[in-house]
Amino acid sequence: LRGAGEGEKEEADAEKAMGNEKYKAKDFAAALSHYNKAHALDPTSIVYMNNIAAVLFAEGKYQECVDQVEKALEVGKENRAAFTDLGKAYSRLGNALVKLERLDEAVKAYDSSLMEVKDGQVELKRKAAIRIKEDRDEKAYLDPEKAEEERQKGNQLFKEGKWVDAIGAYSEGIKRDPKNHLLYSNRGQTYIKVMDLGSALRDCDKCIELKPDFPRAYARKANVQLLCKQAHKAKETVEQGLALCPGDAELKQVGSKVQQSIMGVGISQEEREARAQEAMKDPAIVNIMQDPVMRDVLNEMQTNPQAAQKHMMNPDIARKVETLIAAGIIQTR
């Protein structure tokens, strides 16, 4: 293509300026007319072709926009267009491809734009396109029936003592049906077997979030908390579960185990001290210990136990003392 002379270039820029005014006024037909005239005057400029693409995008003609940008890029590369102009073209190409739901291609277009010139807005659009694609892929992968197949597979592997493989099966099931509370419950129990207590606790919490009236999730969570030397938290978990599922046999059984732990049954003095040290990592325990009123109460419990009894008539203080006993901070004999 032959480039524009100096006079033609000035005339093309004038047409572009008029086109921009019409574009801002959303008079897209008039804007397109001016941009086409500019392009005819200087067919080697990517700028005017990109302006035409902008109008097509604004009119919702996304495939025509893609075709126009691809032509603009060819012309731009042949005529050594500025990096910024190439970057804008690739960005507009990505925008149009997103609208056409061609997300893989859109991400590549944004990548090309960022290779030409770094632009924070383009980076944000790229990340948004990736998120949309991931969400779409996840939704396409959903299949409750296959999720149940994976759960049954996991259960069999669990019975065989193949903990890691069972976790893999449950995890695959969760991908297929992330709202199936049983998958989180079962995977949480398997995490306990491999002593990945952090993951077990997260799965129990997720199970409770999905199915608040499922007692086994509270029982398993309390067991995890006992293993973490957090008897005071296990006590709260059992109480929460029984409030929703009164009379549940498994929860009552775990509750008895929690109470034995609090009373120190079968626990050495060294283990008691370790439990108290672990409890001091809990912000809730730290807040109780830093409460001036509670400090006075604790001092009285040591110096004048009988006088301290009057404080126990206060329900808030009584609850806090019970928490400290459960945590092993206050040790009973």
Side-chain angles (χ1 to χ4, degrees):
L1 296 173
R2 182 183 64 81
E6 186 173 341
E8 291 173 315
K9 176 63 177 169
E10 290 179 0
E11 190 177 346
D13 283 342
E15 290 290 345
K16 175 181 179 294
M18 288 186 282
N20 290 347
E21 290 300 319
K22 295 297 183 182
Y23 184 89
K24 291 175 185 176
K26 299 188 183 301
D27 186 350
F28 298 128
L32 184 59
S33 175
H34 287 297
Y35 292 147
N36 278 326
K37 289 176 182 178
H39 172 57
L41 289 163
D42 186 1
T44 64
S45 172
I46 188 177
V47 174
Y48 310 133
M49 299 182 76
N50 206 16
N51 291 144
I52 293 169
V55 173
L56 294 171
F57 185 89
E59 291 179 329
K61 300 175 181 178
Y62 303 122
Q63 184 56 56
E64 291 181 44
C65 177
V66 168
D67 295 339
Q68 176 66 19
V69 174
E70 288 176 343
K71 292 176 185 176
L73 286 166
E74 288 180 13
V75 170
K77 291 173 184 177
E78 288 175 1
N79 293 276
R80 299 182 181 179
F83 295 137
T84 53
D85 291 332
L86 290 169
K88 288 179 182 177
Y90 276 119
S91 177
R92 181 158 286 122
L93 176 61
N95 295 346
L97 289 167
V98 167
K99 291 292 187 179
L100 293 169
E101 299 186 359
R102 290 156 57 180
L103 298 172
D104 286 329
E105 294 174 73
V107 171
K108 290 179 182 178
Y110 289 136
D111 285 338
S112 296
S113 177
L114 292 168
M115 287 291 290
E116 298 294 340
V117 59
K118 295 299 180 184
D119 186 313
Q121 290 300 313
V122 175
E123 182 62 37
L124 289 174
K125 290 177 182 179
R126 176 184 178 277
K127 290 179 180 178
I130 291 173
R131 283 197 300 271
I132 294 169
K133 181 181 181 303
E134 289 174 345
D135 289 345
R136 188 177 68 179
D137 290 347
E138 285 178 13
K139 289 177 182 177
Y141 200 66
L142 296 180
D143 189 328
E145 289 185 9
K146 289 185 179 179
E148 179 59 22
E149 289 175 8
E150 291 294 335
R151 190 177 76 85
Q152 295 298 336
K153 177 182 174 182
N155 290 350
Q156 184 59 41
L157 290 165
F158 183 93
K159 291 175 184 176
E160 295 171 4
K162 298 177 181 177
W163 316 125
V164 174
D165 291 338
I167 288 170
Y170 293 136
S171 297
E172 176 63 21
I174 287 169
K175 291 178 184 177
R176 292 289 190 178
D177 186 4
K179 294 184 178 180
N180 187 325
H181 69 284
L182 294 175
L183 285 161
Y184 288 99
S185 176
N186 293 1
R187 190 175 70 173
Q189 179 65 15
T190 315
Y191 276 132
I192 295 174
K193 291 292 185 180
V194 298
M195 293 304 290
D196 185 349
L197 302 182
S199 295
L201 189 61
R202 284 190 291 275
D203 273 0
C204 290
D205 282 335
K206 185 64 178 180
C207 182
I208 290 169
E209 176 190 329
L210 293 170
K211 186 75 171 170
D213 60 348
F214 184 60
R216 178 159 290 176
Y218 295 94
R220 287 177 173 170
K221 180 178 179 179
N223 276 324
V224 173
Q225 290 167 325
L226 283 177
L227 289 169
C228 293
K229 299 182 175 64
Q230 298 172 340
H232 63 295
K233 289 187 176 181
K235 178 176 178 290
E236 291 176 2
T237 297
V238 170
E239 290 171 351
Q240 289 169 2
L242 287 174
L244 292 167
C245 314
D248 183 78
E250 185 177 7
L251 263 176
K252 285 185 173 181
Q253 184 179 14
V254 175
S256 297
K257 187 163 67 169
V258 170
Q259 196 58 40
Q260 287 180 341
S261 176
I262 291 170
M263 294 170 64
V265 176
I267 298 178
S268 68
Q269 184 60 28
E270 184 180 352
E271 288 174 318
R272 287 171 181 260
E273 291 174 359
R275 189 178 74 184
Q277 289 175 1
E278 182 64 28
M280 286 304 297
K281 298 176 184 177
D282 183 352
I285 297 294
V286 173
N287 287 337
I288 292 175
M289 296 297 291
Q290 291 178 344
D291 183 340
V293 173
M294 285 303 299
R295 283 205 298 267
D296 291 341
V297 171
L298 294 174
N299 286 333
E300 277 201 76
M301 290 180 73
Q302 291 180 330
T303 59
N304 189 357
Q306 290 184 339
Q309 288 300 314
K310 70 178 185 293
H311 293 298
M312 296 301 289
M313 298 178 67
N314 182 317
D316 184 55
I317 290 177
R319 178 182 57 79
K320 290 178 179 178
V321 170
E322 288 175 2
T323 298
L324 294 178
I325 292 172
I329 304 296
I330 299 175
Q331 297 189 10
T332 56
R333 293 285 187 269

